[in-house]
Amino acid sequence: MTINVRRARPGDHPAILSLMDKARGLGLSDEERARRGFVQGTLTSELLNRFQDGPGIFVADAAGELAGFAITSEPGWFPPQHPAAAAVAAVTKAADGRDLGRLFLYGPVAVDERFQGRGVLTKLLTALSHALMDDFDLAVAFVETANERSLAVHRHYEMAEDAHFQAGGRTYVAFTFSPAAFAQGQS
């Protein structure tokens, strides 16, 4: 089955919201959530519209079915106590004065269980890297340390672990990657 990645359209929003709900892992034990991975946060159609108007939402389309999505956003969109803002602050602090260039946030991301293991995330990361590499220098993602699967995935892609930080009583790892380098490495 061919999986194509494209920018999301408003008609994709119901499927994105549905997959986001499934990917939260609600109803699973903490151990199952850690092993399977989970996404955090709550999305609404209004938020999706805002994300879509920013750097963008990317969807993996498998013959009309949503195989996965990756949301990107601007760092300034989040209040200081939000994990996204805390991740950017932690990465900036870790840079110790080095210019990081123009940043964007990467995530949340989810791949439907039916399509896992088929390279969907690689396709999403490659497409968004190609689309954003001329406008942004560095992507910032954050993963809760309790999310063993997501930590392993980000390490598999050799994203830099720039900082550990806390937000809302939880501990996170801030990962970064250059979209230009990722796009070139996956071409």
Side-chain angles (χ1 to χ4, degrees):
M1 171 175 287
T2 301
I3 297 172
N4 297 305
V5 176
R6 60 174 170 75
R7 286 189 180 263
R9 300 184 283 262
D12 296 314
H13 292 186
I16 292 168
L17 293 171
S18 177
L19 180 53
M20 177 77 173
D21 284 342
K22 290 176 192 171
R24 280 196 188 91
L26 301 178
L28 299 176
S29 70
D30 289 344
E31 293 80 21
E32 288 174 308
R33 286 182 87 220
R35 188 172 27 81
R36 288 186 183 182
F38 57 91
V39 295
Q40 295 175 292
T42 303
L43 291 177
T44 63
S45 290
E46 293 79 22
L47 277 174
L48 289 178
N49 286 332
R50 185 172 185 192
F51 291 138
Q52 192 164 313
D53 290 341
I57 302 171
F58 298 82
V59 294
D61 183 294
E65 285 191 80
L66 180 71
F69 67 84
I71 295 176
T72 63
S73 56
E74 298 272 357
W77 290 357
F78 301 93
Q81 68 276 14
H82 191 280
V88 171
V91 166
T92 302
K93 182 179 178 183
D96 198 27
R98 284 182 295 116
D99 181 17
L100 297 175
R102 185 150 182 230
L103 308 178
F104 73 94
L105 285 153
Y106 150 73
V109 175
V111 175
D112 187 297
E113 284 184 341
R114 298 170 300 151
F115 296 97
Q116 290 178 1
R118 296 185 189 184
V120 172
L121 184 56
T122 299
K123 289 177 188 241
L124 283 164
L125 284 167
T126 301
L128 73 84
S129 290
H130 277 286
L132 302 178
M133 67 184 191
D134 291 337
D135 296 320
F136 295 95
D137 303 301
L138 196 66
V140 178
F142 60 94
V143 178
E144 186 177 347
T145 55
N147 194 339
E148 295 170 8
R149 175 114 185 245
S150 187
L151 289 171
V153 167
H154 285 77
R155 289 171 178 147
H156 166 78
Y157 286 106
E158 298 180 1
M159 294 180 185
E161 289 185 49
D162 284 351
H164 287 78
F165 66 95
Q166 291 194 329
R170 296 178 180 181
T171 303
Y172 296 87
V173 177
F175 289 93
T176 61
F177 68 94
S178 160
F182 195 93
Q184 291 169 358
Q186 298 297 319
S187 295

